[in-house]
Amino acid sequence: SALNSFFGNILDANTGNMRMSMKWRIHDAIGGGSNNVLLEILPNLQKWMADGSVAMENLAPRKGIGSSHRLKFMFCKLIGAITCRAHPLILFLDDLQWADEMTLDIIRMMMTDPDIRHFLFLGCYRDNEVNLTHPLTAKLKAIQEQGISIVTIKIGPIEKECVNTLLSEALCMPPNLCRPLSDVVHSKTGGIILFVLRFLASLNDEGDLWFSMSSRRWMYNLEEIRLKEIHDDVVSHMTEHMKSLPKTMQVGLKFAACLGPIFDEKTLEKARKDNESDSFLKSCIEFGFLQNFGSNQYVWAHDQIQQAAYDLIPLPKRKSLHLLVGTRLLTTTSPSDMEHMIFLIVDNMNLGSKLIDDPGQKYEVSQ
C-alpha cells in the first residue's frame, strides 16, 4: 500500500520529465511486462509505466512455487531503482508485530542488499507483543548478523514536562501558567499522547477548557478537571466519546470499522448502502478518526481508534453486522472487481457465517 500510494502521488503530481530517469531505472531493473508480478500488485506503478514513455513488453504471467521468491527479489530491485543520491527514499511501516513472513523477508532483503543505497527504513512495533520467539525478532537478528546497524528508539508515554510544553505551545501560554493543568492531564492520561490529545479535546467540548474573548487567552476550570472520571485505556475513552456523536455518525463508524484498517469511499458506500459517505468521511477527518490515504482511500488514524469504533457495535449484533456488510459487498461487486474485494467479503461473511441458515447461501459463500 505504501509503494502503491507513492506511485499514485507521482501520477497525481504530473511531474512530466522530472521522474523520467527514475522510470527508466525501474524499467531496466524489473522490466515493463504487463503481466509482471510486481506490476499486478502495484496498479499505480503499472499506470505510470504504461503511459507510453517507455516500452511495455507483453510477458507471459509467471506462476508456481518460485513466484514468492521472484516477488521479494523484484521488490528489492524496485527500491534500488527508485533511490539515488538526488532522490533518497524513506520507507516507514507501522505495526510490524502483525507483519507476515513475506513482508519481514522483504524488509530483511532490502536492508542487506548492497545495491540499495540512499535508503532509510523505519519500522514501528509494540515491544510488549514481540518476544524472543516472534518472527520479527529473528529477522532483526539476521539483519544485525550481516553487519547492518539497527538503531532502536523506545517510544513510551511522554514525561510530565513534555505535556507541559505541549500545552504551553498549543494554548499559547507561558509554561508556568500551564503547569497546574498539565500536572492533572499527565496524572489522568499517564502521558499516553493519543490519550492526552483526546482528553484535551473532551475538556474543550465539555466547556472546562475554553478561549476567553475578554481576557484573550485560554482558560480552564481546574477543580472540575480534577473531578473528571477517566477510563483506564484509550479505547474505552474513545468509545465513550464516539457515543456522544450523532446517531448517523455512530452508524457510519460501525460500518467503517468492519472494513479493515484501509478502505475506499466506494466500498463504504456499498456497505452503508447510501450516498452520505462523503460528508461522513469529512467529519471523520475533522474529528481525527481517519486520514486521507491516496485517491479516495482512507486509513484509521490509529488502530486503537478503529477498535474504539468497533466497540460501538454491541457484542450480540457484531455477527449480524458483518454478515450484512459481507452480503452487500458480495451483491454489489462486479466480477472485474471481485479479485480485489474477495478477502474483505470473505472475512466479513466468515464472521457472520453462523447466522446463515439458507443452504443455497452457504454454498455461494463457500464458493
Side-chain angles (χ1 to χ4, degrees):
S1 296
L3 284 173
N4 195 50
S5 178
F6 171 78
F7 289 108
N9 291 335
I10 292 179
L11 282 169
D12 294 339
N14 192 21
T15 53
N17 294 326
M18 288 181 61
R19 304 288 184 181
M20 187 57 64
S21 59
M22 181 193 297
K23 183 177 292 186
W24 278 109
R25 291 198 306 270
I26 293 174
H27 181 271
D28 291 342
I30 68 170
S34 58
N35 290 312
N36 186 305
V37 63
L38 200 56
L39 298 181
E40 290 177 7
I41 62 174
L42 297 174
N44 286 332
L45 173 59
Q46 185 172 20
K47 291 177 185 177
W48 187 50
M49 296 293 288
D51 67 355
S53 55
V54 296
M56 293 284 289
E57 303 92 352
N58 187 18
L59 300 179
R62 302 181 191 179
K63 297 182 180 180
I65 195 168
S67 59
S68 63
H69 297 293
R70 283 195 296 272
L71 180 59
K72 297 173 191 176
F73 175 77
M74 294 182 74
F75 254 115
C76 292
K77 288 295 183 182
L78 176 62
I79 295 297
I82 293 173
T83 63
C84 66
R85 184 182 293 273
H87 296 286
L89 178 67
I90 299 175
L91 177 61
F92 172 75
L93 296 181
D94 197 6
D95 291 323
L96 291 182
Q97 72 275 4
W98 297 330
D100 57 30
E101 189 70 23
M102 177 175 284
T103 300
L104 294 177
D105 253 348
I106 292 174
I107 293 172
R108 177 189 59 78
M109 292 173 68
M110 288 191 301
M111 296 300 297
T112 57
D113 191 332
D115 294 329
I116 298 179
R117 302 177 181 179
H118 314 293
F119 171 64
L120 175 65
F121 175 77
L122 301 175
C124 184
Y125 65 92
R126 300 176 186 173
D127 56 2
N128 62 322
E129 296 184 23
V130 176
N131 55 28
L132 294 176
T133 61
H134 195 281
L136 177 59
T137 304
K139 297 301 179 185
L140 293 176
K141 184 179 179 181
I143 292 172
Q144 289 177 312
E145 287 176 348
Q146 295 193 42
I148 305 300
S149 176
I150 296 178
V151 178
T152 303
I153 302 174
K154 290 193 174 183
I155 302 176
I158 59 177
E159 299 175 354
K160 187 182 293 185
E161 191 59 37
C162 294
V163 174
N164 190 55
T165 302
L166 171 66
L167 286 175
S168 176
E169 295 183 0
L171 303 179
C172 298
M173 293 172 61
N176 62 312
L177 292 181
C178 290
R179 183 77 59 186
L181 176 60
S182 66
D183 287 348
V184 175
V185 170
H186 186 273
S187 67
K188 287 186 174 292
T189 62
I192 301 172
I193 186 62
L194 181 64
F195 213 171
V196 170
L197 298 177
R198 187 61 259 160
F199 184 56
L200 290 173
S202 67
L203 293 180
N204 180 241
D205 293 339
E206 296 167 10
D208 293 316
L209 176 63
W210 71 96
F211 186 80
S212 172
M213 297 300 293
S214 58
S215 60
R216 295 185 179 181
R217 72 178 182 89
W218 285 89
M219 308 286 287
Y220 52 87
N221 189 334
L222 192 61
E223 293 306 316
E224 286 293 325
I225 295 173
R226 282 199 179 107
L227 295 174
K228 291 284 182 186
E229 292 187 7
I230 201 161
H231 293 277
D232 293 333
D233 62 88
V234 179
V235 173
S236 298
H237 181 74
M238 290 293 298
T239 302
E240 287 302 311
H241 167 64
M242 290 174 177
K243 287 180 179 178
S244 67
L245 299 175
K247 291 295 183 182
T248 54
M249 188 76 177
Q250 293 185 46
V251 171
L253 287 169
K254 293 175 184 178
F255 277 105
C258 294
L259 300 180
I262 300 174
F263 57 89
D264 56 44
E265 184 176 354
K266 185 179 178 182
T267 302
L268 181 61
E269 287 180 351
K270 290 179 179 179
R272 293 183 57 177
K273 214 171 184 179
D274 61 31
N275 296 317
E276 300 178 2
S277 295
D278 184 58
S279 59
F280 164 75
L281 291 169
K282 288 179 180 178
S283 297
C284 284
I285 291 174
E286 290 175 2
F287 279 110
F289 299 152
L290 297 173
Q291 297 174 354
N292 191 244
F293 183 75
S295 179
N296 290 322
Q297 284 191 314
Y298 297 86
V299 58
W300 291 96
H302 196 280
D303 62 307
Q304 299 273 36
I305 296 177
Q306 182 189 358
Q307 183 60 50
Y310 189 73
D311 285 351
L312 286 173
I313 310 170
L315 195 58
K317 295 184 178 181
R318 289 182 183 176
K319 291 180 181 179
S320 60
L321 184 59
H322 279 295
L323 181 59
L324 177 63
V325 170
T327 303
R328 285 179 175 177
L329 294 180
L330 179 63
T331 56
T332 57
T333 300
S334 64
S336 59
D337 293 333
M338 186 57 69
E339 184 176 355
H340 170 66
M341 295 289 294
I342 187 65
F343 290 108
L344 179 60
I345 294 172
V346 170
D347 284 344
N348 277 279
M349 297 293 277
N350 278 341
L351 290 170
S353 59
K354 291 186 178 180
L355 301 179
I356 302 176
D357 297 323
D358 181 55
Q361 190 175 9
K362 285 185 177 180
Y363 178 74
E364 184 178 7
V365 171
S366 66
Q367 280 188 313

